[in-house]
Amino acid sequence: MLDAAPRPCPCCAATDAAPWEQYSPPDWQIVRCTACDMTYLRNPVAYEALEEDFAWEKTYEVKKEATKGSTSLSPGIRALRQKLGLTHRNKHDRYRAWFNDGHVLDIGCGHGARIAPPMTPYGIELSKSLHAQADAYMRQQGGYCAHGAGAEAIWTFDEGQFDGIIMHSYLEHETEVMQVLKGSHRALKHSGAVYIRVPNFGSLNRRVVGAKWCGFRHPDHVNYFTLKTLTETCRKAGFTTELINRIALPVDDNITVLLRKAGAP
């Protein structure tokens, strides 16, 4: 099931990497690229295994049960996160503003209900079970959901088709990071934007709790970004990066950014 050849760095494509032994459970090799400092899983499973055996909704439930919903924070970090308001919020209004009520593609869309009218939802979902649910919902709203891996399915859409693209808790799952980013650049209108949310490997919480950090999920989390490595990866795909959670970032378990095409107004 594991790839025969070690996976190169998803940011710079270098092959030399140092192991993070304390973060590597049996069978899984978490490493740090010695060229650009990107942390990633060197031996991911094939896409086919992620369709069912390691579908994210299954591994999420396993992680949730193991950590009782979330990894415990020290009292000081927990209090600071509450003070900064780091809670899950409905982003519908922000999506509408960013994407001009247009056609929006949700990559790794899960059940598919993240995008609501007046926006027109489109999606890509690898899990067979979740794809069926997302496609039924999106067709009712004028769009549809493609089944498959994001890095492959993104190229089936028209050039400049979308006002917005969402990668909410998706890019950490994608082995072909540059392929999906370049495909998104192609499918995005010049005036469009891309919203990305990924686990924050540079967070204080990860440093405090170590291998029990909530951002680790094996084997379907294959990329562990810091703001620096995420920004550099997106730059190579032709995007500029705007950090959304600027104030909260050091104690936030996630990084949230908005991408625009380089040179776009």
Side-chain angles (χ1 to χ4, degrees):
M1 183 179 294
L2 302 180
D3 289 346
R7 177 188 177 214
C9 174
C11 176
C12 71
T15 55
D16 290 337
W20 280 104
E21 294 182 358
Q22 66 269 43
Y23 298 146
S24 300
D27 299 327
W28 309 116
Q29 302 168 16
I30 303 294
V31 299
R32 179 185 62 81
C33 176
T34 57
C36 74
D37 211 34
M38 175 72 190
T39 294
Y40 62 100
L41 179 64
R42 203 173 196 184
N43 60 332
V45 299
Y47 280 137
E48 292 77 10
L50 296 175
E51 287 184 310
E52 292 188 357
D53 294 344
F54 293 105
W56 80 264
E57 68 271 23
K58 296 180 181 178
T59 58
Y60 173 79
E61 289 301 325
V62 171
K63 180 72 173 184
K64 182 179 179 180
E65 177 63 23
T67 60
K68 305 302 180 184
S70 63
T71 299
S72 297
L73 297 165
S74 69
I77 297 176
R78 182 182 298 278
L80 183 56
R81 284 173 57 86
Q82 291 174 344
K83 183 177 181 180
L84 292 172
L86 300 181
T87 57
H88 295 291
R89 296 171 181 158
N90 190 316
K91 294 183 174 62
H92 176 73
D93 290 340
R94 302 192 76 179
Y95 290 155
R96 291 188 62 190
W98 289 332
F99 307 144
N100 300 313
D101 285 347
H103 289 209
V104 181
L105 174 66
D106 188 351
I107 307 179
C109 63
H111 299 90
R114 190 174 288 122
I115 302 303
M119 296 175 287
T120 303
Y122 294 80
I124 300 173
E125 178 53 49
L126 182 60
S127 166
K128 291 181 177 179
S129 174
L130 293 177
H131 165 262
Q133 299 175 57
D135 191 51
Y137 165 77
M138 291 180 176
R139 288 185 183 276
Q140 292 176 350
Q141 308 301 327
Y144 66 90
C145 182
H147 177 246
E152 297 169 357
I154 185 64
W155 297 91
T156 66
F157 295 100
D158 293 336
E159 185 174 354
Q161 181 173 345
F162 298 110
D163 299 276
I165 296 175
I166 293 174
M167 302 185 196
H168 184 283
S169 301
Y170 159 75
L171 204 58
E172 63 268 31
H173 298 264
E174 178 55 68
T175 56
E176 299 295 336
V177 172
M178 199 58 62
Q179 184 77 353
V180 76
L181 287 173
K182 289 182 176 179
S184 295
H185 191 280
R186 170 189 169 276
L188 189 69
K189 293 179 180 178
H190 190 64
S191 60
V194 180
Y195 171 83
I196 292 179
R197 177 183 184 267
V198 292
N200 178 15
F201 188 74
S203 72
L204 179 60
N205 191 30
R206 191 270 302 174
R207 301 172 191 274
V208 170
V209 300
K212 294 183 179 180
W213 178 52
C214 54
F216 288 121
R217 202 161 82 221
H218 309 292
D220 59 322
H221 281 192
V222 299
N223 308 305
Y224 295 93
F225 293 100
T226 63
L227 178 60
K228 177 183 177 181
T229 56
L230 179 62
T231 300
E232 178 61 13
T233 303
C234 294
R235 184 193 67 79
K236 290 181 178 180
F239 290 107
T240 60
T241 302
E242 174 190 347
L243 178 62
I244 295 173
N245 59 334
R246 182 178 304 276
I247 296 175
L249 183 66
V251 292
D252 198 331
D253 282 322
N254 294 287
I255 305 169
T256 54
V257 300
L258 198 68
L259 309 183
R260 298 192 184 276
K261 290 187 173 183

